[in-house]
Amino acid sequence: MEIQILGAHAAEVKGARLASLLIDEVLTVDAGGLTSALSLPQQEKIKAVLLSHHHFDHTRDLVTLGANAGYWQGQIEVYGLRYTLDVIISCLLDGKMYINLLEYPNKEKPSLLLKAIEPYRKEVIAGYDVLPLPVKHSVPTVGYQISSPDGKSLFYTGDTGPGFVLAIGQHISPHLLISEVYGPNKFEDWLKSVGHMSAKLLKEELTQFKELKGYLPRVIAIHIGNPYEQQIEEEVAQVAKELGADISLGHEDMRVTL
Ligand SMILES: [Zn+2]
Ligand SMILES: [Zn+2]
């Protein structure tokens, strides 16, 4: 399983894209910084997109991806909670903002095929076992455990505040955990209130994970608040030292092989 981080930041600026991952060139998780990271032939290989939640920084490139798929007359499956799909249909895809991507290039075979997932219900998507699990964000959000046929697995939390390990830790055993650190420790109270993490909050989650599971996977943090990146990096490095674990910040175009 090769995981490519397409976007690792909370703000899109030159050199930084919004949250998006690509697995083995065919499965995408979140669509914040997707199309600007990939050539058209690379986009044509995408079979499915998993959405963690409806926030614009995780869904916006569905519009450009769906429009681009008209060039190769392809169809891309888009998975998310029913709630998530309803919001993106009415706010992004139904033709008010741009082309109606539910009927483009034609009604019979639209470029985006929306499919609702249920938390705790495992599905085979693009050849992977995918298990959506609810996490703690400001709107309904799921993380995904994605397991390849050769037994490697990743858990991506999406946007989450603290408490996800207690809630769903028993259901996951990933080789790699991709989570988020949006801001520095000094903003902990605010981060908690909006369903995001600091390095210190991540440390508490990882400590619980180790107690529960008896090990710590490699951890990569994304959704980095750009102006605070250096401070977040130092704070995450400190947590890595304290826990004796492999924890680092992700970056655009980073590749990890499991
Ligand atoms: Zn969010
Ligand atoms: Zn976000």
Side-chain angles (χ1 to χ4, degrees):
M1 188 191 255
E2 188 188 64
I3 298 117
Q4 193 180 339
I5 296 178
L6 305 180
H9 287 84
E12 182 187 72
V13 298
K14 187 176 181 182
R17 291 186 291 262
L18 302 174
S20 195
L21 311 174
L22 180 64
I23 296 169
D24 296 331
E25 302 189 318
V26 295
L27 179 62
T28 316
V29 193
D30 279 342
L34 203 169
T35 43
S36 62
L38 300 172
S39 66
L40 274 183
Q42 287 173 320
Q43 291 175 36
E44 192 173 343
K45 289 183 185 167
I46 296 171
K47 293 188 175 132
V49 181
L50 310 178
L51 298 176
S52 60
H53 65 306
H54 69 256
H55 279 160
F56 187 69
D57 58 323
H58 297 253
T59 57
R60 49 175 260 173
D61 279 9
L62 285 177
V63 177
T64 41
L65 182 66
N68 290 352
Y71 287 122
W72 62 87
Q73 302 278 304
Q75 191 163 49
I76 299 159
E77 294 176 346
V78 178
Y79 293 84
L81 293 168
R82 183 70 257 165
Y83 183 92
T84 302
L85 300 181
D86 287 345
V87 176
I88 60 165
I89 286 169
S90 64
C91 296
L92 280 181
L93 305 180
D94 69 355
K96 284 198 288 288
M97 283 292 287
Y98 188 37
I99 44 182
N100 183 343
L101 287 160
L102 307 170
E103 300 181 357
Y104 173 84
N106 55 66
K107 265 188 195 168
E108 291 66 41
K109 194 187 169 193
S111 56
L112 300 182
L113 185 63
L114 273 50
K115 297 189 166 204
I117 49 98
E118 300 260 357
Y120 302 102
R121 193 182 73 195
K122 199 181 269 186
E123 293 206 35
V124 177
I125 298 173
Y128 298 81
D129 273 349
V130 175
L131 177 64
L133 295 166
V135 295
K136 315 251 173 184
H137 191 40
S138 55
V139 298
T141 302
V142 286
Y144 289 100
Q145 178 160 274
I146 301 163
S147 307
S148 60
D150 64 355
K152 300 291 191 220
S153 72
L154 144 81
F155 185 70
Y156 167 63
T157 62
D159 287 2
T160 185
F164 73 90
V165 168
L166 267 184
I168 50 102
Q170 59 182 312
H171 298 280
I172 59 173
S173 297
H175 300 95
L176 172 67
L177 174 68
I178 299 183
S179 190
E180 65 131 293
V181 175
Y182 184 23
N185 290 335
K186 64 182 177 188
F187 296 152
E188 179 177 312
D189 289 345
W190 177 79
L191 289 164
K192 268 187 186 168
S193 74
V194 291
H196 284 292
M197 303 276 273
S198 64
K200 182 166 161 279
L201 293 171
L202 181 64
K203 183 188 171 190
E204 290 166 13
E205 294 299 307
L206 296 176
T207 303
Q208 285 171 4
F209 187 97
K210 195 165 183 190
E211 275 170 25
L212 187 68
K213 311 295 288 190
Y215 80 103
L216 274 181
R218 179 177 177 183
V219 180
I220 295 174
I222 63 168
H223 211 282
I224 304 154
N226 309 44
Y228 310 105
E229 181 155 3
Q230 198 186 340
Q231 193 178 354
I232 293 169
E233 190 165 26
E234 287 166 12
E235 290 173 356
V236 165
Q238 183 62 30
V239 172
K241 206 168 137 191
E242 287 165 12
L243 295 181
D246 182 352
I247 311 168
S248 58
L249 295 192
H251 57 80
E252 278 69 18
D253 302 322
M254 178 181 190
R255 287 166 191 264
V256 179
T257 303
L258 295 181

